[in-house]
Amino acid sequence: MFTNCSLGHCHIIIAVVLWSICVDSRKIRGISLSYKRFYRERKSFLCIDGSKMIPFDQVNDDYCDCVDGSDEPGTAACPNGRFYCTNLGYRSHYIPSSRVNDGICDCCDASDEYRSQTPCQNTCRNLGQRERAEVEGQMRVLGEGLRLKQQLIEEGVLTWREKQAQLRDLQRVSDDLQTQLDDLRKEEARRKEEADALRERVIGARETADNSPTSHYRTESPISVFKELDSNRDGSITVDEVQAKVSPVQDEEHALSEDEAVALLGGAHRVDLSRFEETLWTSLRTGDSVTIKGRHGVPGSLADEDPNIKAAVSAAEKAAADLKRVEDAYETVYMEIRDLREKLSLDYGSEREFLFLHNQCFQLKVHEYIYELCPFSQVTQKSASGEVVSLGKWGSWAGSPEKQYYQMRYESGEPCWQGPTRNTMVMLICGTETALRSVKEPSKCQYVMELQTPVSCQPALRQRGIHSEL
């Protein structure tokens, strides 16, 4: 190139070329490729905000001429200037121009310290390799997460269909039980009415036949009357028991004296069944002097011993038992239908991918507390002493319209002392397993949790891939 020039002349040409390269390098330092078009003019420079025109040699001359700081992208002259770190092999980014040549290495390619004494090393390649490895690991996790998500979606669809079929079956059972209830209620009422009517007829007929207040003793056995008077069931009747249950025929309010009671027992203070038949039983059957208190006409117990009445009462009791059995079954089915409808009414995601979380709980111990998240139900905090505090009950999805299923809101937990009601926001993040990863309390009684789960993995993350500038 310089074969035809003299040695001195060549030295001058080389110096001019090197100076030109240095000037160009100085002029474009701190500029991204997208902004290079503003710095191609060699005679003058128009401030990017269009406010001022200056000579081009005043660009990067360490003096701020433009209000927007665009004339000093490579120096610290302008307080609002920005320096572009190219960082080849890593992520490019801007730093405030005030950090240029401040003795601190901000750009991994060391381009911000071109005039300082700080020996900055170019670490972009190592940083890029490290970040690429991290991103590739994240991509592998994402790929596995998406595979598991699809599996959970398919399982959720099957579970949803099973629950719908179960609901239909339960509804049919409920309808059948309701029909049975209607029939059994009528049957129970009819049987009860028949038993009551028959009992009244039997009692009425016997009262009509013999209205004597003591005539019924003639049809009763001495054993049944003995048992009625033997209050303590010790196989004997005492004076006290006679005084308590036996009264004069004409005045039931009159209490027998001890002597009168002893006389009725044949002069004894205690008699057994055989002696009872020879003494008090004879007086009761005669009906001239004493009777058992409360006995008027035909006793209900005697009427209930009628075989026809017994059969009618037994039928009524069976009808009532059948009704109770079906009522219990109907109540059980009703509760199952209610719970199943409530479960099916919840929003489990656009593809019902979150359905598998229902009826599951996840725990995480943080310091002395154990936090438990039960998706679509509640959040609790358990202390070392065993006290359980509600941090909120299921409220709704709380994400933005574009990312609706990234956040869960649990609200109306227990009130804090001199503070608000406890609430919890659950952030869902992508991962290959479902687990509670962190719990924080950024403000008083307001909690934030992170729940990792495959169903939060999104294909868009994979499409984004590794940063294009790495």
Side-chain angles (χ1 to χ4, degrees):
M1 177 179 177
F2 301 112
T3 55
N4 296 327
C5 65
S6 64
L7 183 60
H9 189 206
C10 285
H11 285 168
I12 294 173
I13 293 174
I14 291 172
V16 169
V17 170
L18 291 175
W19 177 85
S20 176
I21 292 173
C22 291
V23 169
D24 283 346
S25 176
R26 174 179 64 83
K27 295 299 183 182
I28 63 174
R29 193 185 301 275
I31 298 300
S32 68
L33 290 175
S34 61
Y35 274 79
K36 285 238 176 176
R37 67 182 186 277
F38 296 109
Y39 297 86
R40 289 175 181 169
E41 178 64 47
R42 290 294 181 265
K43 293 182 180 179
S44 60
F45 175 78
L46 177 64
C47 299
I48 292 178
D49 64 1
S51 62
K52 189 177 182 180
M53 183 81 74
I54 62 174
F56 196 81
D57 59 7
Q58 292 182 17
V59 173
N60 277 347
D61 65 350
D62 210 16
Y63 183 84
C64 191
D65 298 292
C66 297
V67 176
D68 62 359
S70 58
D71 64 310
E72 297 298 320
T75 74
C78 296
N80 58 341
R82 294 191 308 165
F83 182 88
Y84 184 74
C85 301
T86 303
N87 293 343
L88 186 63
Y90 190 53
R91 289 183 284 107
S92 303
H93 64 91
Y94 282 97
I95 62 171
S97 294
S98 59
R99 298 182 184 177
V100 174
N101 294 318
D102 63 351
I104 299 175
C105 305
D106 298 293
C107 302
C108 68
D109 62 2
S111 59
D112 60 311
E113 298 300 318
Y114 60 92
R115 285 182 182 172
S116 74
Q117 301 301 314
T118 302
C120 295
Q121 300 295 321
N122 189 329
T123 60
C124 291
R125 182 177 179 182
N126 290 338
L127 291 173
Q129 289 177 341
R130 188 184 309 164
E131 185 167 272
R132 279 192 291 274
E134 291 176 356
V135 171
E136 287 168 359
Q138 293 172 2
M139 291 299 104
R140 285 194 294 272
V141 170
L142 177 59
E144 178 64 10
L146 289 172
R147 185 188 69 80
L148 293 173
K149 177 180 180 178
Q150 185 58 38
Q151 180 179 325
L152 290 170
I153 289 175
E154 293 171 0
E155 291 176 1
V157 170
L158 291 177
T159 301
W160 183 268
R161 290 174 180 170
E162 290 173 359
K163 296 300 180 184
Q164 291 282 11
Q166 183 183 351
L167 181 60
R168 289 192 295 270
D169 292 341
L170 286 172
Q171 192 60 61
R172 283 193 291 268
V173 172
S174 176
D175 294 341
D176 292 342
L177 289 173
Q178 184 62 63
T179 301
Q180 293 181 46
L181 282 176
D182 293 341
D183 295 339
L184 287 172
R185 287 191 179 109
K186 295 176 183 177
E187 177 69 9
E188 191 264 349
R190 185 178 68 82
R191 292 290 186 180
K192 186 177 183 300
E193 184 178 343
E194 287 179 354
D196 291 342
L198 181 58
R199 190 171 186 276
E200 289 179 4
R201 286 198 301 272
V202 171
I203 293 175
R206 291 184 177 178
E207 285 180 342
T208 302
D210 187 356
N211 199 31
S212 170
T214 57
S215 62
H216 51 273
Y217 293 118
R218 297 168 190 163
T219 60
E220 282 193 82
S221 68
I223 296 176
S224 63
V225 177
F226 182 85
K227 289 181 178 180
E228 184 178 351
L229 295 175
D230 184 12
S231 302
N232 58 6
R233 301 292 188 268
D234 64 350
S236 63
I237 297 175
T238 64
V239 170
D240 291 337
E241 289 172 331
V242 172
Q243 287 181 292
K245 293 192 173 184
V246 178
S247 65
V249 172
Q250 302 302 325
D251 185 7
E252 286 194 10
E253 300 299 325
H254 175 73
L256 294 176
S257 66
E258 183 177 350
D259 292 339
E260 290 173 326
V262 170
L264 288 172
L265 294 178
H269 283 77
R270 181 188 298 271
V271 297
D272 57 14
L273 175 60
S274 62
R275 184 60 178 157
F276 165 74
E277 292 183 33
E278 297 171 358
T279 56
L280 180 56
W281 174 242
T282 302
S283 300
L284 289 172
R285 282 178 60 83
T286 302
D288 295 334
S289 58
V290 293
T291 185
I292 297 176
K293 292 180 180 180
R295 290 273 186 124
H296 294 285
V298 179
S301 59
L302 181 60
D304 290 339
E305 291 179 1
D306 185 283
N308 294 325
I309 294 179
K310 280 185 176 182
V313 170
S314 177
E317 290 175 348
K318 182 180 182 303
D322 291 343
L323 176 61
K324 180 67 167 58
R325 175 178 54 79
V326 176
E327 284 178 338
D328 291 343
Y330 180 81
E331 181 67 19
T332 300
V333 171
Y334 173 81
M335 297 291 288
E336 290 180 6
I337 290 175
R338 187 195 65 182
D339 294 343
L340 192 53
R341 281 178 174 169
E342 181 180 346
K343 179 177 181 178
L344 294 176
S345 68
L346 295 175
D347 183 358
Y348 295 107
S350 58
E351 298 178 278
R352 301 191 179 95
E353 61 270 30
F354 294 97
L355 178 59
F356 82 101
L357 292 175
H358 198 279
N359 290 335
Q360 290 201 63
C361 293
F362 306 93
Q363 292 185 344
L364 180 66
K365 185 174 183 180
V366 181
H367 304 303
E368 72 272 24
Y369 295 106
I370 295 177
Y371 293 88
E372 184 174 73
L373 166 65
C374 300
F376 306 105
S377 180
Q378 63 176 351
V379 181
T380 59
Q381 176 196 67
K382 185 178 181 180
S383 66
S385 64
E387 180 184 6
V388 178
V389 176
S390 171
L391 304 187
K393 299 177 181 62
W394 168 250
S396 63
W397 292 102
S400 62
E402 304 81 30
K403 299 180 178 181
Q404 179 182 0
Y405 301 107
Y406 278 67
Q407 296 180 23
M408 289 176 161
R409 179 186 292 112
Y410 294 80
E411 52 199 9
S412 302
E414 292 187 29
C416 279
W417 185 74
Q418 293 187 341
T421 298
R422 291 177 172 86
N423 296 306
T424 301
M425 190 70 73
V426 178
M427 321 299 290
L428 288 95
I429 57 176
C430 173
T432 56
E433 62 178 348
T434 300
L436 193 57
R437 291 306 185 194
S438 69
V439 179
K440 297 178 182 178
E441 187 180 2
S443 59
K444 186 175 182 180
C445 299
Q446 304 301 300
Y447 300 85
V448 175
M449 293 182 167
E450 278 191 342
L451 178 66
Q452 176 184 289
T453 175
V455 292
S456 286
C457 297
Q458 299 297 326
L461 297 176
R462 169 178 278 180
Q463 293 169 5
R464 193 179 309 158
I466 302 174
H467 197 285
S468 59
E469 294 186 13
L470 295 186

